[in-house]
Amino acid sequence: MIRLSILLFFVLAVIAEWQEGSSGLPRGVGTRGGATLAAAGVAGARTLRFGSKSGVFKILQVADMHYADGKETGCLDVFPDQLSTCSDLNTTAFIYRVIRHENPDFIVFTGDNIFASDSKDAAKSLNAAFEPAVALKLPWAAVIGNHDQEGTLSREGVMQHIVGMDHTLSQLNPTGIEIDGFGNYNLEVRGAEGSALANKSVLNLYFLDSGDYSTVPAIPGYGWIKPSQQVWFQKTSSRLQKEYMRGALQQKDPAPGLVYFHIPLPEFSYFDASNFTGVKQEGISSASINSGFFATLVETGDAKAVFTGHDHLNDFCGKLIGIQLCYSGGFGYHAYGKAGWSRRARVVSASLEKTLSGEWGGVKSIKTWKRLDDEHLSTIDTQVLWIKGSTGRRRKSTVPNLS
């Protein structure tokens, strides 16, 4: 871990360098031939889109920042000689560092963005936690975890504050329906500009509020994704699939979907070291009941991967019935971790296929890797999550025992 004085110098230097450009964007961000953000008609609204040069859309996942009061907030689970110089600012420096190296097109924050019980002012902590994305004018979205609302803002208040921040595509909830939680919404990523699929969503992103703690006295433990949320997910998925597979430029198969929320599903416990990539260093802290959302994901058919946080020492991806279940691994320094085990972020990169006419088509493949906050910003565990045309299902003899 870099000492605090060096971190402060690094962060200030990076911001100064990036602000030199007339566009206001960090150098390289949005200019590498990757994805673009286009105005969508409504003031402040944006359209996510694959890049016309690279045919790639890259997502950075940041899980469990546990931000509090900046330099006043100390770190957990680091080596003793690092305690005096370690704070929330190490988390901020890591975000800037990984953004500069990965140049993501979109950032997703998957809950426990702040550790509100240690925060003097939840709104200020949220502003500080998301500051790198806002300062660099990158499109970003967030869901909330089980610690975000434990301070001066309610759960709804936290999500409303996030929705009101600059450059975010986060939404409070879908309009016109009754739904549990706060922060259930979807975003569409359209095809490359100038291609036949430029006005169709070729990659669908789903965000859900997985709750905080059970509100049913007879059921202990964490919250879960409720029936109203699952109905919304099913209807949204069905609508997007119909739009993609019917009408003008109808496609043979649904566009792939990626799903983001905080608390892992019980199905994350079906894996062991023989059938996942990454590490499992603690138990699966899911709800104590199974709400059936994994079955809903399988039935709808377009979800190819689920990304969560919550259990900081787990960072694995495992495939179950054609769906990848992935942890990101803990990102923040005020979150519990393990001394010597680097904080980390997950990157997902979706690539378009080339049609016979030589233009960009739909999504061909989705891969992932992790970036570590070590001396070399190491990349580890690169793996392919999904390839078009493959079911992704395991052979019968290797499917985990679901009984």
Side-chain angles (χ1 to χ4, degrees), residues 347-372:
V347 180
V348 171
S349 180
S351 299
L352 300 178
E353 64 180 347
K354 279 288 185 75
T355 66
L356 293 176
S357 62
E359 70 174 19
W360 293 118
V363 176
K364 178 182 180 180
S365 64
I366 301 171
K367 63 180 180 178
T368 187
W369 57 89
K370 286 162 292 192
R371 281 279 191 172
L372 309 185

Short mmCIF file of all heavy atoms in Angstrom, two decimals, residues 347-372:
data_model
loop_
_atom_site.label_atom_id
_atom_site.label_comp_id
_atom_site.label_asym_id
_atom_site.label_seq_id
_atom_site.Cartn_x
_atom_site.Cartn_y
_atom_site.Cartn_z
N VAL A 347 -13.39 -5.98 -13.58
CA VAL A 347 -13.63 -5.36 -14.88
C VAL A 347 -14.35 -6.37 -15.77
O VAL A 347 -14.00 -7.55 -15.78
CB VAL A 347 -12.30 -4.92 -15.55
CG1 VAL A 347 -12.58 -4.28 -16.91
CG2 VAL A 347 -11.54 -3.98 -14.63
N VAL A 348 -15.36 -5.91 -16.48
CA VAL A 348 -16.07 -6.73 -17.46
C VAL A 348 -15.98 -6.05 -18.81
O VAL A 348 -16.23 -4.84 -18.93
CB VAL A 348 -17.54 -6.93 -17.05
CG1 VAL A 348 -18.33 -7.60 -18.18
CG2 VAL A 348 -17.65 -7.75 -15.78
N SER A 349 -15.62 -6.80 -19.83
CA SER A 349 -15.46 -6.26 -21.17
C SER A 349 -16.30 -7.06 -22.15
O SER A 349 -16.11 -8.26 -22.31
CB SER A 349 -13.99 -6.30 -21.59
OG SER A 349 -13.81 -5.77 -22.89
N ALA A 350 -17.26 -6.39 -22.79
CA ALA A 350 -18.10 -7.02 -23.81
C ALA A 350 -17.62 -6.59 -25.19
O ALA A 350 -17.33 -5.41 -25.41
CB ALA A 350 -19.56 -6.63 -23.61
N SER A 351 -17.55 -7.54 -26.12
CA SER A 351 -17.04 -7.27 -27.47
C SER A 351 -18.09 -7.62 -28.51
O SER A 351 -18.75 -8.67 -28.41
CB SER A 351 -15.77 -8.08 -27.74
OG SER A 351 -14.75 -7.74 -26.82
N LEU A 352 -18.21 -6.78 -29.53
CA LEU A 352 -19.15 -7.02 -30.61
C LEU A 352 -18.56 -7.95 -31.66
O LEU A 352 -17.34 -8.06 -31.80
CB LEU A 352 -19.55 -5.70 -31.28
CG LEU A 352 -20.21 -4.64 -30.40
CD1 LEU A 352 -20.49 -3.39 -31.22
CD2 LEU A 352 -21.50 -5.17 -29.77
N GLU A 353 -19.44 -8.60 -32.39
CA GLU A 353 -19.00 -9.42 -33.52
C GLU A 353 -19.04 -8.60 -34.80
O GLU A 353 -19.71 -7.57 -34.88
CB GLU A 353 -19.91 -10.64 -33.67
CG GLU A 353 -21.35 -10.31 -34.01
CD GLU A 353 -22.22 -11.54 -34.14
OE1 GLU A 353 -21.67 -12.64 -34.20
OE2 GLU A 353 -23.45 -11.40 -34.18
N LYS A 354 -18.30 -9.05 -35.80
CA LYS A 354 -18.33 -8.42 -37.12
C LYS A 354 -19.29 -9.21 -38.01
O LYS A 354 -19.25 -10.44 -38.06
CB LYS A 354 -16.94 -8.39 -37.74
CG LYS A 354 -16.05 -7.26 -37.26
CD LYS A 354 -16.51 -5.92 -37.83
CE LYS A 354 -15.55 -4.79 -37.46
NZ LYS A 354 -14.31 -4.82 -38.24
N THR A 355 -20.16 -8.49 -38.72
CA THR A 355 -21.09 -9.15 -39.64
C THR A 355 -20.39 -9.47 -40.96
O THR A 355 -19.24 -9.06 -41.18
CB THR A 355 -22.30 -8.24 -39.91
OG1 THR A 355 -21.84 -7.06 -40.61
CG2 THR A 355 -22.97 -7.81 -38.61
N LEU A 356 -21.07 -10.18 -41.83
CA LEU A 356 -20.50 -10.53 -43.13
C LEU A 356 -20.18 -9.29 -43.96
O LEU A 356 -19.27 -9.30 -44.79
CB LEU A 356 -21.46 -11.44 -43.90
CG LEU A 356 -21.68 -12.83 -43.30
CD1 LEU A 356 -22.74 -13.60 -44.11
CD2 LEU A 356 -20.37 -13.61 -43.27
N SER A 357 -20.92 -8.22 -43.70
CA SER A 357 -20.68 -6.98 -44.45
C SER A 357 -19.54 -6.15 -43.85
O SER A 357 -19.20 -5.10 -44.38
CB SER A 357 -21.96 -6.14 -44.49
OG SER A 357 -22.35 -5.77 -43.17
N GLY A 358 -18.99 -6.65 -42.72
CA GLY A 358 -17.85 -5.96 -42.13
C GLY A 358 -18.18 -4.91 -41.10
O GLY A 358 -17.28 -4.23 -40.59
N GLU A 359 -19.47 -4.76 -40.76
CA GLU A 359 -19.83 -3.78 -39.74
C GLU A 359 -20.07 -4.48 -38.40
O GLU A 359 -20.15 -5.70 -38.32
CB GLU A 359 -21.07 -2.99 -40.15
CG GLU A 359 -22.36 -3.79 -40.14
CD GLU A 359 -23.58 -2.92 -40.40
OE1 GLU A 359 -23.43 -1.81 -40.93
OE2 GLU A 359 -24.69 -3.36 -40.07
N TRP A 360 -20.19 -3.69 -37.34
CA TRP A 360 -20.40 -4.25 -36.02
C TRP A 360 -21.83 -4.78 -35.88
O TRP A 360 -22.78 -4.13 -36.29
CB TRP A 360 -20.14 -3.21 -34.93
CG TRP A 360 -18.72 -2.75 -34.82
CD1 TRP A 360 -18.23 -1.48 -35.00
CD2 TRP A 360 -17.58 -3.56 -34.46
NE1 TRP A 360 -16.88 -1.44 -34.80
CE2 TRP A 360 -16.45 -2.70 -34.47
CE3 TRP A 360 -17.41 -4.90 -34.16
CZ2 TRP A 360 -15.18 -3.16 -34.17
CZ3 TRP A 360 -16.13 -5.36 -33.86
CH2 TRP A 360 -15.03 -4.50 -33.86
N GLY A 361 -21.93 -5.95 -35.24
CA GLY A 361 -23.23 -6.56 -34.98
C GLY A 361 -23.53 -6.58 -33.50
O GLY A 361 -23.27 -5.61 -32.78
N GLY A 362 -24.09 -7.70 -33.03
CA GLY A 362 -24.41 -7.85 -31.62
C GLY A 362 -23.21 -8.30 -30.82
O GLY A 362 -22.10 -8.44 -31.34
N VAL A 363 -23.43 -8.54 -29.53
CA VAL A 363 -22.34 -8.94 -28.64
C VAL A 363 -21.90 -10.37 -28.96
O VAL A 363 -22.71 -11.28 -29.04
CB VAL A 363 -22.76 -8.84 -27.16
CG1 VAL A 363 -21.65 -9.34 -26.25
CG2 VAL A 363 -23.12 -7.39 -26.82
N LYS A 364 -20.60 -10.51 -29.13
CA LYS A 364 -20.01 -11.82 -29.44
C LYS A 364 -19.52 -12.53 -28.19
O LYS A 364 -19.66 -13.74 -28.05
CB LYS A 364 -18.85 -11.65 -30.43
CG LYS A 364 -18.14 -12.94 -30.79
CD LYS A 364 -16.97 -12.68 -31.74
CE LYS A 364 -16.26 -13.97 -32.11
NZ LYS A 364 -15.12 -13.70 -33.04
N SER A 365 -18.91 -11.78 -27.27
CA SER A 365 -18.33 -12.41 -26.08
C SER A 365 -18.25 -11.42 -24.93
O SER A 365 -18.25 -10.20 -25.14
CB SER A 365 -16.94 -12.97 -26.38
OG SER A 365 -16.04 -11.92 -26.71
N ILE A 366 -18.19 -11.97 -23.72
CA ILE A 366 -18.05 -11.17 -22.51
C ILE A 366 -16.96 -11.82 -21.66
O ILE A 366 -17.01 -13.02 -21.38
CB ILE A 366 -19.36 -11.11 -21.71
CG1 ILE A 366 -20.49 -10.49 -22.56
CG2 ILE A 366 -19.18 -10.30 -20.42
CD1 ILE A 366 -21.86 -10.60 -21.93
N LYS A 367 -15.97 -11.05 -21.28
CA LYS A 367 -14.90 -11.59 -20.43
C LYS A 367 -14.70 -10.69 -19.22
O LYS A 367 -15.21 -9.56 -19.16
CB LYS A 367 -13.60 -11.74 -21.22
CG LYS A 367 -12.99 -10.45 -21.74
CD LYS A 367 -11.70 -10.75 -22.50
CE LYS A 367 -11.07 -9.46 -23.05
NZ LYS A 367 -9.79 -9.73 -23.76
N THR A 368 -13.93 -11.17 -18.26
CA THR A 368 -13.71 -10.42 -17.03
C THR A 368 -12.31 -10.68 -16.49
O THR A 368 -11.66 -11.67 -16.83
CB THR A 368 -14.76 -10.79 -15.96
OG1 THR A 368 -14.62 -9.93 -14.82
CG2 THR A 368 -14.60 -12.24 -15.50
N TRP A 369 -11.86 -9.77 -15.64
CA TRP A 369 -10.61 -9.92 -14.90
C TRP A 369 -10.68 -9.00 -13.68
O TRP A 369 -11.63 -8.23 -13.53
CB TRP A 369 -9.39 -9.58 -15.76
CG TRP A 369 -9.39 -8.20 -16.34
CD1 TRP A 369 -8.90 -7.05 -15.78
CD2 TRP A 369 -9.91 -7.81 -17.63
NE1 TRP A 369 -9.07 -5.98 -16.63
CE2 TRP A 369 -9.69 -6.41 -17.76
CE3 TRP A 369 -10.54 -8.50 -18.66
CZ2 TRP A 369 -10.09 -5.71 -18.90
CZ3 TRP A 369 -10.93 -7.81 -19.80
CH2 TRP A 369 -10.70 -6.42 -19.91
N LYS A 370 -9.70 -9.10 -12.81
CA LYS A 370 -9.64 -8.25 -11.63
C LYS A 370 -8.34 -7.44 -11.62
O LYS A 370 -7.32 -7.92 -12.09
CB LYS A 370 -9.74 -9.09 -10.35
CG LYS A 370 -11.15 -9.64 -10.08
CD LYS A 370 -11.15 -10.79 -9.11
CE LYS A 370 -10.50 -12.00 -9.72
NZ LYS A 370 -10.70 -13.24 -8.96
N ARG A 371 -8.43 -6.24 -11.09
CA ARG A 371 -7.27 -5.37 -10.90
C ARG A 371 -7.00 -5.25 -9.41
O ARG A 371 -7.90 -4.96 -8.62
CB ARG A 371 -7.53 -4.00 -11.48
CG ARG A 371 -7.38 -3.90 -12.99
CD ARG A 371 -5.94 -3.77 -13.40
NE ARG A 371 -5.82 -3.42 -14.82
CZ ARG A 371 -4.69 -3.09 -15.41
NH1 ARG A 371 -3.56 -3.08 -14.71
NH2 ARG A 371 -4.66 -2.79 -16.69
N LEU A 372 -5.75 -5.43 -9.02
CA LEU A 372 -5.36 -5.38 -7.62
C LEU A 372 -4.67 -4.05 -7.30
O LEU A 372 -3.92 -3.52 -8.12
CB LEU A 372 -4.39 -6.52 -7.30
CG LEU A 372 -4.82 -7.94 -7.69
CD1 LEU A 372 -3.79 -8.94 -7.17
CD2 LEU A 372 -6.21 -8.27 -7.17
#
